[in-house]
Amino acid sequence: MKDDTSRDELLEIIERQESAINKMSQTLDTIQNRTRKILTSLPLGLLILNEEMVIEAANSRIEQIFAYTPRELAGQKIQFIFPEVETLEADSQPKRTPGKIKTHDYIVCEIFANEYEDDGVKRIFLHVQDVTEKQRLEQLRKDFVQMVSHDLRTPLTSINMLLSMLSQDRFGKLDDQGYTAVDRARSNADYLIKLVSDLLDAEKLESGDLEIEIQPTSVKNVIGKTVDATQDAAKAQKVSVETEATEGGFLADEDRLVQVLINLVSNAVKYSEAGSSILIRGTINGESAVFSVIDHGPGIPANQQEAIFQRYKQLNQPKKLKRRGFGLGLAICKALVEAHKGRIWLESEEGKGSTFSFAIPQQKL
């Protein structure tokens, strides 16, 4: 009787274990099917490779990109479709490389590798995106910017020089209406020249071609050049520019820092009322050179301050203060400061003015 009871208990335990195993098996099948669906429905191509850089599997998007079926790719070396790829390492940024499709034509691909290890076996998940059209559009944009640079900047500079000569009576005196018209035309030409320069700098920043030349400079040099470049615009707006500059030298690209300060001062002048003042302050603070531009303008609302340094971003302005702009100036300032390993920030309260500051750490030659 006791043996029968033990046998029944054992059978019950076996049944429970079988039931648990069946449930686990069903769960595993469900997970595998779900994973398979996710991998095959990804908008990006996916290749799974082993340590020898041999393709083991591919999703349907890969077939759409290269015209090879997953079966045709299985067992092939990665160079079969990416001839220039020798090794793959996990990286935080995608890389561009030529891809060879079934017709033997080449496309441009962005690839992004992740490593995965299971039971001591390492595999590489390679995400693939066809960016041929994207690269074509990028090249069109670059060509357009270059066209703007070469075909507009030179004639605009010539026009500006001619207008300057007219305002200096080089071709005879003008009446008051004539001087007003010349000044307005010079202002428009200056705006267009700056717009072209900003477009070129924005393109260089995006392509990584903007160079920083580190040389000895000083706080007074940077502020002095900024004042020389902005005093005419400030006088025209009837805004006074004051300075506070301490002695102190540091290493940086002087011309680029002057460019940053000119941008900040020009913005401050545009948004300041006639009769007000702007302060440019520069000092050596610890291991950094710190510059600030302080105005008494309308200030910047708190809900717009985070976006102020984004490209093509412009503030919502009251109609009476509406100013022209393309939304590139502050984005370029931020990029130039960060190229010096520095930081730029804003302190502002609506109705009480703004303070734009940036700090440049000491650089080594």
Side-chain angles (χ1 to χ4, degrees):
M1 184 71 177
K2 187 175 181 181
D3 291 341
D4 291 340
T5 303
S6 300
R7 188 170 57 252
D8 291 341
E9 290 176 352
L10 183 59
L11 289 173
E12 187 177 345
I13 292 171
I14 292 173
E15 287 176 0
R16 286 202 301 266
Q17 289 179 338
E18 286 179 347
S19 177
I21 291 171
N22 288 333
K23 286 182 180 179
M24 290 175 63
S25 179
Q26 291 173 3
T27 302
L28 182 60
D29 288 342
T30 301
I31 292 173
Q32 288 177 336
N33 289 332
R34 189 176 300 166
T35 303
R36 193 177 294 110
K37 285 181 180 179
I38 292 172
L39 293 178
T40 55
S41 63
L42 281 173
L44 300 178
L46 176 65
L47 293 169
I48 300 176
L49 300 93
N50 61 23
E51 289 185 280
E52 285 72 39
M53 305 287 287
V54 173
I55 299 170
E56 293 186 343
N59 70 351
S60 58
R61 178 61 182 149
I62 287 290
E63 184 175 356
Q64 294 172 15
I65 295 173
F66 294 95
Y68 287 110
T69 66
R71 186 183 295 274
E72 290 173 313
L73 291 175
Q76 297 285 356
K77 282 275 193 178
I78 189 63
Q79 290 81 10
F80 183 71
I81 53 176
F82 293 120
E84 295 185 8
V85 173
E86 296 181 0
T87 60
L88 287 170
E89 295 180 357
D91 198 347
S92 59
Q93 296 295 329
K95 296 179 180 179
R96 287 195 179 180
T97 186
K100 188 177 180 181
I101 62 177
K102 196 170 185 177
T103 60
H104 301 292
D105 293 320
Y106 282 87
I107 59 175
V108 181
C109 293
E110 280 188 351
I111 59 174
F112 180 86
N114 276 312
E115 292 183 355
Y116 172 74
E117 190 169 328
D118 184 23
D119 291 334
V121 178
K122 188 176 79 171
R123 286 185 173 82
I124 298 172
F125 282 24
L126 188 67
H127 297 275
V128 182
Q129 184 175 14
D130 180 1
V131 293
T132 307
E133 181 64 13
K134 179 181 177 182
Q135 179 160 295
R136 187 184 71 83
L137 293 175
E138 287 175 354
Q139 188 60 49
L140 284 174
R141 186 194 64 207
K142 289 178 182 179
D143 292 343
F144 171 75
V145 171
Q146 291 300 318
M147 180 198 71
V148 168
S149 169
H150 295 139
D151 296 350
L152 287 183
R153 188 158 60 173
T154 300
L156 280 171
T157 303
S158 299
I159 290 170
N160 212 25
M161 289 177 62
L162 176 60
L163 291 170
S164 179
M165 293 169 69
L166 284 172
S167 67
Q168 295 170 13
D169 300 328
R170 297 284 291 274
F171 303 104
K173 282 191 169 294
L174 303 173
D175 57 21
D176 291 342
Q177 188 174 0
Y179 287 118
T180 300
V182 168
D183 287 342
R184 187 180 298 114
R186 284 185 65 189
S187 176
N188 287 327
D190 286 338
Y191 170 73
L192 288 174
I193 290 170
K194 184 179 184 304
L195 179 57
V196 169
S197 296
D198 284 350
L199 282 170
L200 284 172
D201 280 343
E203 178 60 34
K204 288 178 181 177
L205 289 169
E206 187 161 323
S207 63
D209 294 332
L210 189 65
E211 296 181 354
I212 299 294
E213 297 182 6
I214 303 298
Q215 296 177 345
T217 184
S218 70
V219 172
K220 285 192 172 181
N221 278 357
V222 174
I223 290 181
K225 288 187 176 182
T226 301
V227 172
D228 290 343
T230 56
Q231 59 185 354
D232 288 345
K235 286 179 182 178
Q237 194 75 8
K238 298 180 181 177
V239 174
S240 64
V241 177
E242 302 171 0
T243 63
E244 288 182 8
T246 61
E247 295 288 348
F250 61 104
L251 297 174
D253 188 325
E254 183 180 281
D255 291 340
R256 290 303 188 180
L257 294 192
V258 170
Q259 181 181 350
V260 172
L261 267 184
I262 288 174
N263 240 313
L264 298 179
V265 172
S266 298
N267 282 345
V269 167
K270 284 195 299 185
Y271 291 99
S272 293
E273 294 184 358
S276 63
S277 64
I278 292 168
L279 174 63
I280 307 174
R281 179 183 293 153
T283 184
I284 299 294
N285 183 3
E287 295 297 319
S288 299
V290 182
F291 296 87
S292 297
V293 176
I294 305 165
D295 67 52
H296 304 283
I300 298 170
N303 62 354
Q304 297 186 48
Q305 291 181 16
E306 286 188 10
I308 194 72
F309 294 105
Q310 294 178 12
R311 194 177 300 182
Y312 304 114
K313 201 76 175 181
Q314 290 182 285
L315 296 177
N316 297 325
Q317 306 170 30
K319 288 184 179 179
K320 65 176 183 178
L321 291 172
K322 202 74 173 177
R323 300 289 188 266
R324 291 185 303 180
F326 204 56
L328 285 172
L330 289 176
I332 291 171
C333 287
K334 183 175 184 289
L336 290 173
V337 170
E338 290 179 348
H340 284 82
K341 312 298 182 186
R343 68 185 186 94
I344 187 169
W345 67 95
L346 163 68
E347 298 170 270
S348 183
E349 187 175 345
E350 198 167 1
K352 295 186 178 180
S354 302
T355 299
F356 282 88
S357 303
F358 63 93
I360 303 297
Q362 283 284 16
Q363 304 281 332
K364 293 182 180 181
L365 286 172

Coordinates of all heavy atoms in Angstrom, one line a residue, residues 254-311:
E254 N 41.8 83.1 -31.5 CA 41.3 84.4 -31.2 C 40.2 84.9 -32.2 O 39.2 85.4 -31.7 CB 42.5 85.4 -31.3 CG 42.1 86.9 -31.0 CD 43.3 87.8 -31.0 OE1 44.1 87.8 -30.1 OE2 43.4 88.5 -32.1
D255 N 40.4 84.6 -33.5 CA 39.4 85.1 -34.4 C 38.0 84.4 -34.2 O 37.0 85.1 -34.3 CB 39.9 84.7 -35.9 CG 41.1 85.6 -36.3 OD1 41.3 86.7 -35.7 OD2 41.8 85.2 -37.2
R256 N 38.1 83.1 -33.8 CA 36.8 82.5 -33.6 C 36.1 83.0 -32.3 O 34.9 83.1 -32.2 CB 37.0 80.9 -33.5 CG 37.4 80.3 -34.8 CD 36.3 80.6 -35.9 NE 36.5 79.8 -37.1 CZ 35.8 79.9 -38.1 NH1 34.7 80.7 -38.2 NH2 36.0 79.2 -39.2
L257 N 36.9 83.3 -31.3 CA 36.3 83.9 -30.1 C 35.7 85.3 -30.3 O 34.7 85.6 -29.8 CB 37.3 83.9 -28.9 CG 37.8 82.6 -28.4 CD1 38.6 82.8 -27.1 CD2 36.7 81.6 -28.2
V258 N 36.4 86.0 -31.1 CA 35.9 87.3 -31.5 C 34.6 87.2 -32.3 O 33.6 87.9 -32.1 CB 37.0 88.1 -32.4 CG1 36.3 89.4 -33.0 CG2 38.2 88.5 -31.5
Q259 N 34.5 86.2 -33.1 CA 33.3 85.9 -33.9 C 32.2 85.6 -32.9 O 31.0 86.0 -33.1 CB 33.5 84.7 -34.8 CG 32.3 84.3 -35.7 CD 32.6 83.1 -36.6 OE1 33.7 82.7 -36.7 NE2 31.5 82.6 -37.2
V260 N 32.4 84.8 -31.9 CA 31.4 84.5 -30.9 C 30.9 85.7 -30.2 O 29.7 86.0 -30.1 CB 31.9 83.4 -29.8 CG1 30.9 83.3 -28.7 CG2 32.2 82.1 -30.5
L261 N 31.9 86.6 -29.7 CA 31.5 87.8 -29.0 C 30.8 88.8 -29.9 O 29.8 89.4 -29.5 CB 32.7 88.4 -28.4 CG 33.1 88.1 -27.0 CD1 34.3 88.9 -26.5 CD2 31.9 88.3 -26.0
I262 N 31.2 88.9 -31.2 CA 30.5 89.8 -32.1 C 29.0 89.3 -32.3 O 28.1 90.2 -32.3 CB 31.2 89.8 -33.5 CG1 32.5 90.6 -33.4 CG2 30.3 90.4 -34.6 CD1 33.4 90.5 -34.7
N263 N 28.8 88.0 -32.4 CA 27.5 87.5 -32.5 C 26.6 87.9 -31.3 O 25.5 88.3 -31.4 CB 27.5 86.0 -32.7 CG 26.9 85.5 -34.0 OD1 25.8 86.0 -34.3 ND2 27.6 84.6 -34.7
L264 N 27.2 87.7 -30.1 CA 26.5 87.9 -28.9 C 26.2 89.4 -28.7 O 25.1 89.8 -28.3 CB 27.2 87.4 -27.7 CG 27.5 85.9 -27.6 CD1 28.3 85.5 -26.4 CD2 26.2 85.1 -27.6
V265 N 27.2 90.3 -29.0 CA 27.0 91.7 -28.9 C 26.0 92.2 -29.9 O 25.2 93.1 -29.6 CB 28.4 92.4 -29.0 CG1 28.2 94.0 -29.1 CG2 29.3 92.1 -27.8
S266 N 26.1 91.7 -31.1 CA 25.2 92.2 -32.2 C 23.7 91.8 -31.8 O 22.8 92.6 -32.0 CB 25.5 91.5 -33.5 OG 26.8 91.9 -33.9
N267 N 23.5 90.6 -31.2 CA 22.2 90.3 -30.8 C 21.7 91.2 -29.7 O 20.6 91.6 -29.6 CB 22.2 88.8 -30.3 CG 22.1 87.8 -31.4 OD1 21.8 88.2 -32.5 ND2 22.4 86.6 -31.1
A268 N 22.6 91.5 -28.7 CA 22.3 92.4 -27.6 C 21.9 93.8 -28.1 O 21.0 94.4 -27.6 CB 23.5 92.5 -26.6
V269 N 22.7 94.3 -29.1 CA 22.4 95.6 -29.7 C 21.0 95.6 -30.4 O 20.2 96.5 -30.2 CB 23.5 96.0 -30.7 CG1 23.0 97.2 -31.5 CG2 24.8 96.3 -30.0
K270 N 20.7 94.5 -31.1 CA 19.4 94.5 -31.8 C 18.2 94.5 -30.9 O 17.2 95.1 -31.3 CB 19.4 93.2 -32.7 CG 20.2 93.2 -33.9 CD 19.8 92.0 -34.9 CE 20.0 90.7 -34.3 NZ 19.8 89.6 -35.2
Y271 N 18.4 93.9 -29.7 CA 17.2 93.9 -28.8 C 17.3 94.9 -27.7 O 16.5 94.8 -26.8 CB 17.2 92.4 -28.2 CG 16.8 91.4 -29.3 CD1 17.8 90.6 -29.9 CD2 15.5 91.3 -29.7 CE1 17.4 89.7 -30.8 CE2 15.1 90.3 -30.6 CZ 16.1 89.5 -31.2 OH 15.8 88.6 -32.2
S272 N 18.2 95.8 -27.8 CA 18.3 96.9 -26.8 C 17.6 98.2 -27.3 O 17.6 98.5 -28.4 CB 19.8 97.2 -26.4 OG 20.4 96.1 -25.8
E273 N 17.0 98.9 -26.3 CA 16.3 100.1 -26.7 C 17.4 101.2 -26.8 O 18.4 101.2 -26.2 CB 15.3 100.5 -25.6 CG 14.1 99.5 -25.6 CD 13.1 100.0 -24.5 OE1 13.3 101.0 -23.9 OE2 12.0 99.3 -24.4
A274 N 17.0 102.3 -27.6 CA 17.9 103.4 -27.7 C 18.2 104.1 -26.4 O 17.3 104.2 -25.6 CB 17.3 104.4 -28.7
G275 N 19.4 104.4 -26.1 CA 19.8 105.1 -24.9 C 20.2 104.1 -23.8 O 20.7 104.5 -22.8
S276 N 20.1 102.8 -24.1 CA 20.5 101.8 -23.1 C 22.0 101.4 -23.3 O 22.6 101.9 -24.2 CB 19.6 100.5 -23.2 OG 19.8 99.9 -24.4
S277 N 22.5 100.5 -22.5 CA 23.9 100.2 -22.6 C 24.1 98.6 -22.5 O 23.2 97.9 -22.1 CB 24.8 100.8 -21.4 OG 24.3 100.3 -20.2
I278 N 25.2 98.2 -23.1 CA 25.6 96.8 -23.1 C 27.0 96.7 -22.4 O 27.9 97.5 -22.7 CB 25.7 96.2 -24.5 CG1 24.3 96.2 -25.1 CG2 26.3 94.8 -24.5 CD1 24.3 95.9 -26.6
L279 N 27.2 95.7 -21.6 CA 28.5 95.5 -21.0 C 29.1 94.2 -21.5 O 28.5 93.1 -21.5 CB 28.3 95.4 -19.4 CG 29.6 95.1 -18.6 CD1 30.7 96.1 -18.8 CD2 29.3 94.8 -17.2
I280 N 30.4 94.3 -21.9 CA 31.2 93.2 -22.3 C 32.2 93.0 -21.2 O 33.1 93.8 -21.0 CB 31.9 93.4 -23.7 CG1 30.9 93.8 -24.7 CG2 32.6 92.1 -24.1 CD1 31.6 94.2 -26.1
R281 N 32.2 91.8 -20.6 CA 33.1 91.6 -19.5 C 34.0 90.3 -19.8 O 33.5 89.3 -20.3 CB 32.3 91.3 -18.2 CG 33.1 91.0 -17.0 CD 32.2 90.6 -15.8 NE 31.4 91.8 -15.4 CZ 30.3 91.7 -14.8 NH1 29.7 90.6 -14.6 NH2 29.6 92.8 -14.4
G282 N 35.2 90.5 -19.5 CA 36.2 89.3 -19.7 C 37.1 89.2 -18.5 O 37.7 90.2 -18.0
T283 N 37.4 88.0 -18.1 CA 38.3 87.8 -17.0 C 38.9 86.4 -17.1 O 38.4 85.5 -17.8 CB 37.6 88.0 -15.6 OG1 38.5 87.8 -14.6 CG2 36.5 86.9 -15.5
I284 N 40.0 86.2 -16.4 CA 40.6 84.9 -16.2 C 40.1 84.3 -14.9 O 40.4 84.9 -13.8 CB 42.1 84.9 -16.3 CG1 42.6 85.4 -17.6 CG2 42.7 83.5 -16.0 CD1 42.3 84.5 -18.8
N285 N 39.3 83.3 -14.9 CA 38.8 82.7 -13.7 C 39.3 81.3 -13.5 O 38.8 80.4 -14.1 CB 37.2 82.7 -13.8 CG 36.6 82.2 -12.5 OD1 37.2 82.0 -11.5 ND2 35.3 82.2 -12.5
G286 N 40.3 81.2 -12.6 CA 40.9 79.8 -12.4 C 41.6 79.4 -13.6 O 42.5 80.1 -14.1
E287 N 41.2 78.3 -14.2 CA 41.8 77.7 -15.4 C 41.1 78.1 -16.7 O 41.4 77.5 -17.7 CB 41.9 76.2 -15.3 CG 42.8 75.7 -14.1 CD 44.2 76.1 -14.3 OE1 44.7 76.0 -15.4 OE2 44.9 76.5 -13.3
S288 N 40.2 79.0 -16.6 CA 39.4 79.4 -17.8 C 39.4 80.9 -18.0 O 39.5 81.7 -17.1 CB 38.0 78.9 -17.6 OG 37.9 77.5 -17.5
A289 N 39.2 81.3 -19.3 CA 38.9 82.6 -19.7 C 37.4 82.7 -19.8 O 36.8 81.9 -20.5 CB 39.6 83.0 -21.0
V290 N 36.7 83.7 -19.1 CA 35.3 83.8 -19.1 C 34.9 85.1 -19.6 O 35.4 86.2 -19.2 CB 34.7 83.6 -17.6 CG1 33.2 83.7 -17.6 CG2 35.2 82.3 -17.0
F291 N 33.9 85.1 -20.6 CA 33.4 86.3 -21.2 C 31.9 86.3 -21.0 O 31.2 85.3 -21.1 CB 33.8 86.3 -22.7 CG 35.2 86.3 -23.0 CD1 36.0 85.1 -23.1 CD2 35.9 87.5 -23.2 CE1 37.3 85.2 -23.4 CE2 37.2 87.6 -23.5 CZ 37.9 86.4 -23.6
S292 N 31.4 87.5 -20.8 CA 30.0 87.7 -20.7 C 29.5 89.0 -21.5 O 30.3 90.0 -21.5 CB 29.6 87.9 -19.2 OG 29.9 86.7 -18.5
V293 N 28.3 88.9 -22.0 CA 27.7 90.0 -22.7 C 26.4 90.3 -21.9 O 25.5 89.4 -21.9 CB 27.4 89.8 -24.2 CG1 26.7 91.0 -24.8 CG2 28.8 89.6 -24.9
I294 N 26.2 91.4 -21.3 CA 25.1 91.8 -20.4 C 24.3 92.9 -21.1 O 24.8 94.0 -21.4 CB 25.6 92.2 -19.0 CG1 26.5 91.1 -18.4 CG2 24.4 92.4 -18.1 CD1 27.3 91.5 -17.3
D295 N 23.0 92.6 -21.3 CA 22.2 93.7 -21.8 C 21.0 94.0 -20.9 O 20.7 93.2 -19.9 CB 21.7 93.3 -23.3 CG 20.8 92.1 -23.3 OD1 19.8 92.1 -22.5 OD2 21.0 91.2 -24.1
H296 N 20.2 95.0 -21.3 CA 19.0 95.4 -20.5 C 17.8 95.3 -21.4 O 16.9 96.1 -21.3 CB 19.2 96.8 -19.9 CG 20.4 96.9 -19.0 ND1 20.5 96.4 -17.8 CD2 21.7 97.4 -19.3 CE1 21.7 96.6 -17.3 NE2 22.4 97.3 -18.2
G297 N 17.8 94.3 -22.3 CA 16.7 94.2 -23.3 C 15.5 93.5 -22.7 O 15.3 93.5 -21.4
P298 N 14.7 93.0 -23.5 CA 13.4 92.4 -23.1 C 13.5 91.1 -22.3 O 12.6 90.6 -21.7 CB 12.6 92.2 -24.4 CG 13.7 92.0 -25.4 CD 14.8 92.9 -25.0
G299 N 14.7 90.5 -22.3 CA 14.9 89.2 -21.7 C 14.3 88.0 -22.5 O 13.7 88.3 -23.6
I300 N 14.6 86.8 -22.1 CA 14.1 85.6 -22.8 C 13.3 84.8 -21.9 O 13.7 84.4 -20.8 CB 15.3 84.8 -23.3 CG1 16.2 85.7 -24.3 CG2 14.9 83.5 -24.0 CD1 17.5 85.1 -24.7
P301 N 12.0 84.5 -22.3 CA 11.1 83.6 -21.5 C 11.8 82.3 -21.1 O 12.5 81.7 -21.9 CB 9.9 83.4 -22.4 CG 10.0 84.6 -23.4 CD 11.4 84.8 -23.6
A302 N 11.5 81.8 -19.9 CA 12.1 80.6 -19.4 C 11.8 79.4 -20.4 O 12.7 78.5 -20.5 CB 11.6 80.3 -18.0
N303 N 10.6 79.4 -21.0 CA 10.2 78.2 -21.8 C 10.9 78.2 -23.2 O 10.8 77.3 -23.9 CB 8.7 78.2 -22.0 CG 8.2 79.4 -22.7 OD1 8.9 80.3 -23.0 ND2 6.9 79.3 -23.0
Q304 N 11.7 79.3 -23.5 CA 12.4 79.3 -24.7 C 13.9 79.2 -24.6 O 14.7 79.2 -25.6 CB 12.1 80.6 -25.5 CG 10.6 80.7 -25.9 CD 10.3 82.0 -26.7 OE1 11.0 82.2 -27.7 NE2 9.3 82.7 -26.3
Q305 N 14.4 79.2 -23.3 CA 15.8 79.3 -23.1 C 16.6 78.1 -23.5 O 17.7 78.1 -23.9 CB 16.1 79.7 -21.6 CG 15.7 81.1 -21.3 CD 16.0 81.5 -19.8 OE1 16.7 80.8 -19.1 NE2 15.3 82.5 -19.3
E306 N 16.0 76.9 -23.3 CA 16.6 75.6 -23.7 C 16.9 75.5 -25.2 O 17.9 74.9 -25.6 CB 15.8 74.4 -23.2 CG 15.9 74.2 -21.7 CD 15.2 72.9 -21.3 OE1 14.9 72.1 -22.2 OE2 15.0 72.7 -20.1
A307 N 16.0 76.1 -26.0 CA 16.1 76.0 -27.4 C 16.9 77.1 -28.1 O 17.2 77.0 -29.3 CB 14.7 75.9 -28.0
I308 N 17.4 78.0 -27.3 CA 18.0 79.2 -27.8 C 19.3 78.9 -28.7 O 19.6 79.6 -29.6 CB 18.3 80.2 -26.7 CG1 18.6 81.6 -27.3 CG2 19.5 79.8 -25.9 CD1 17.4 82.3 -27.8
F309 N 20.0 77.8 -28.3 CA 21.2 77.5 -29.0 C 21.0 76.5 -30.1 O 22.0 76.0 -30.7 CB 22.3 77.0 -28.0 CG 22.7 78.1 -27.1 CD1 22.3 78.0 -25.7 CD2 23.6 79.1 -27.4 CE1 22.7 79.0 -24.8 CE2 24.0 80.1 -26.5 CZ 23.6 80.0 -25.2
Q310 N 19.8 76.1 -30.4 CA 19.5 75.2 -31.5 C 19.6 75.8 -32.9 O 19.2 77.0 -33.0 CB 18.2 74.5 -31.3 CG 18.1 73.6 -30.1 CD 16.7 73.0 -29.9 OE1 15.9 73.1 -30.8 NE2 16.5 72.5 -28.7
R311 N 20.0 75.1 -33.9 CA 20.1 75.6 -35.2 C 18.7 76.0 -35.8 O 17.8 75.2 -35.6 CB 20.8 74.6 -36.1 CG 21.3 75.2 -37.4 CD 22.1 74.2 -38.2 NE 23.2 73.7 -37.5 CZ 24.1 72.8 -37.9 NH1 23.9 72.3 -39.1 NH2 25.1 72.5 -37.2

